[in-house]
Amino acid sequence: MERNLTLIALFAALIAALGLIPQLTLAFGVPITAQSLGVMLCGTVLGAKRGALAVLLFVLLVAIGLPLLAGGRGGLGVFVSPTAGFLIGFPFAAFITGLIVENWRNGPLALVAGAASVFGGIVVLYAFGISGLAWALQKPLTEAALLVTAFIPGDLIKAVLAGAITAALARARPDSVLSRA
């Protein structure tokens, strides 16, 4: 129990730390950040439940006003911004990513974790993000979907990194990859 709480807090801090990497903001106001890599790693390393709890802790800290999002943003206002759907989707993305890694036991871990990150950390996250973007900008879903296409190459790189990091961690410290425990 104590170890789980420590890891949940540690991974929430990892997501916050990844927000310190300078962001690139696209013309329509949505920033490209490294924080989605942290969400992917929560799922691939901690598994579905612990990963989702780590991300929920991060989202809660943002909601109470801590400036943990890229660019130093935080507070309830971010939940009505163009990025709100992505933020709300973070815990779901981590959960689905972790669920896939927990249940897909065949194949190299780097490939499994990378593929899980593509599905959970991109497909699931984008479903929330596109919906939130469409709502915030008062655009049709198809137009909002076109607006996020610029993120896909970077997010694919993050998914590959999540797979490689998870596999390297499993080789170095097998007990630390709880999604495979």
Side-chain angles (χ1 to χ4, degrees), residues 55-126:
V55 179
L56 277 170
L57 174 59
F58 173 79
V59 171
L60 175 66
L61 294 172
V62 168
I64 63 171
L66 295 179
L68 300 178
L69 290 173
R73 297 172 304 123
L76 293 176
V78 299
F79 291 93
V80 293
S81 72
T83 60
F86 289 98
L87 185 58
I88 292 165
F90 275 3
F92 297 96
F95 182 83
I96 297 300
T97 301
L99 194 63
I100 293 169
V101 175
E102 288 172 359
N103 290 299
W104 186 4
R105 296 291 179 163
N106 298 331
L109 182 55
L111 177 64
V112 170
S117 295
V118 168
F119 188 77
I122 298 176
V123 174
V124 171
L125 186 59
Y126 276 43

Side-chain angles (χ1 to χ4, degrees), residues 20-21 70 78 96 146 157 163:
L20 297 174
I21 296 173
V78 299
I96 297 300
L146 287 174
I157 291 168

